[in-house]
């Protein structure tokens, strides 16, 4: 029994949804936590994930799993086929590094709690908040683009197999779209994202394909 706490717009949940799809797993239960209504801060969800952030996942009787990269690596260790990390240590370090540019260096700067702090505490208006989010996306995209120019890159971020780096890259692209950052100038990024979008496991997991998402 897999229970996923999720919301259509959550980029971190998108990452976990792709991993679940790639592993052929479907959550038995998806519990919506509406980030636009602040439901992540309700006591009931805080008891699930004290960080008050999505996603969280329960796999059978195990304790609640939290943090998208930790969840994805857990899924990869418990369901090794298909593998989402390379076999060699250097390859794994590169893939984790690329993934962390997205999940640790960029994404935390644009999440609701940060945008709400900018709005309510620092009184920063909507256009400036959007520019903040766009700026951090572009910074990360520029770094990723340089990395992806290396010869270790293949059809995907690392060789020709999907890895955690591709999952994170796809979430970076979805975030860029939400915050008006154009990925087209980043040609390696754009090519790999396009390749990922053609894979059903990615396409089905996309935020804009989830219940509650606006029709675009
Ligand atoms: N580092 C965490 C990020 C979790 C996170 O911040 N998730 C966002 C949605 S993508 C969230 O729930 N934010 C709630 C908030 O900021 O109030 C992960 O990768 O799982």
């Amino acid at each position: 029994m897999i229970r996923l706490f999720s919301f259509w717009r959550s980029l971190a949940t998108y990452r976990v949804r792709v991993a679940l799809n790639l592993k052929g797993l479907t959550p038995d239960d998806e519990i919506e936590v509406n980030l636009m209504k602040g439901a992540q801060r309700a006591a009931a969800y805080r008891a699930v994930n004290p960080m008050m952030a999505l996603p969280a996942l329960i796999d059978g009787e195990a304790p609640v799993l939290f943090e998208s990269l930790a969840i994805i690596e857990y899924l990869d260790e418990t369901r090794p086929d298909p593998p989402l990390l390379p076999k060699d240590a250097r390859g794994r370090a590169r893939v984790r590094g690329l993934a962390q540019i997205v999940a640790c260096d960029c994404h935390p700067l644009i999440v609701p709690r940060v945008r709400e702090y900018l709005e309510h505490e620092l009184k920063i208006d909507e256009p400036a908040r959007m520019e903040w989010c766009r700026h951090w996306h572009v910074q990360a995209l520029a770094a990723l683009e340089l990395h992806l120019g290396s010869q270790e890159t293949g059809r995907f971020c690392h060789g020709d197999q999907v890895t955690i780096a591709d999952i994170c890259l796809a979430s970076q692209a979805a975030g860029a779209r939400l915050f008006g950052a154009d990925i087209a100038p980043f040609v390696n990024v754009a090519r790999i994202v396009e390749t990922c979008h053609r894979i059903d496991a990615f396409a089905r997991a996309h935020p804009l394909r989830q219940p509650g998402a606006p029709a675009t």
Side-chain angles (χ1 to χ4, degrees):
M1 165 100 173
I2 294 180
R3 305 185 80 190
L4 177 66
F5 295 83
S6 70
F7 187 58
W8 70 266
R9 196 183 152 104
S10 162
L11 299 172
T13 308
Y14 172 32
R15 298 196 275 269
V16 168
R17 258 193 247 111
V18 174
L20 286 166
N21 288 346
L22 287 167
K23 301 287 183 185
L25 300 167
T26 308
D28 302 279
D29 195 9
E30 248 190 83
I31 301 122
E32 184 194 84
V33 179
N34 191 321
L35 296 181
M36 285 153 132
K37 293 185 177 158
Q40 71 275 27
R41 292 187 286 271
Y45 186 67
R46 193 174 189 182
V48 173
N49 184 358
M51 194 59 199
M52 298 179 279
L54 291 170
L57 183 135
I58 301 175
D59 183 20
E61 295 304 309
V64 177
L65 304 173
F66 51 93
E67 289 288 333
S68 61
L69 293 183
I71 296 172
I72 294 170
E73 289 219 19
Y74 163 85
L75 291 172
D76 203 38
E77 287 171 16
T78 54
R79 286 88 166 176
D81 189 36
L84 297 177
L85 283 168
K87 287 199 170 57
D88 61 304
R90 281 176 191 273
R92 283 197 298 279
R94 179 169 181 267
V95 164
R96 288 183 174 123
L98 293 170
Q100 288 174 22
I101 288 175
V102 174
C104 306
D105 292 343
C106 176
H107 186 201
L109 295 166
I110 61 94
V111 289
R113 59 189 175 278
V114 169
R115 301 202 313 273
E116 286 165 20
Y117 188 85
L118 294 175
E119 179 180 359
H120 301 301
E121 305 301 322
L122 303 184
K123 311 293 179 203
I124 292 174
D125 65 16
E126 161 80 13
R129 294 198 306 274
M130 283 297 278
E131 178 50 27
W132 165 282
C133 294
R134 204 196 60 81
H135 171 81
W136 295 117
H137 271 92
V138 170
Q139 294 281 306
L141 286 165
L144 290 162
E145 179 65 18
L146 281 176
H147 279 295
L148 294 175
S150 95
Q151 60 186 20
E152 290 150 301
T153 304
R155 204 166 154 245
F156 295 102
C157 287
H158 195 79
D160 295 327
Q161 303 295 323
V162 168
T163 64
I164 295 171
D166 301 292
I167 295 177
C168 287
L169 193 73
S171 78
Q172 180 76 21
R177 182 167 168 185
L178 287 173
F179 295 107
D182 185 10
I183 68 165
F186 305 101
V187 291
N188 293 307
V189 169
R191 174 184 64 76
I192 295 169
V193 167
E194 179 56 33
T195 307
C196 290
H197 283 171
R198 279 192 245 111
I199 298 171
D200 185 58
F202 282 83
R204 276 190 290 126
H206 195 278
L208 297 176
R209 294 265 307 263
Q210 304 313 305
T216 52

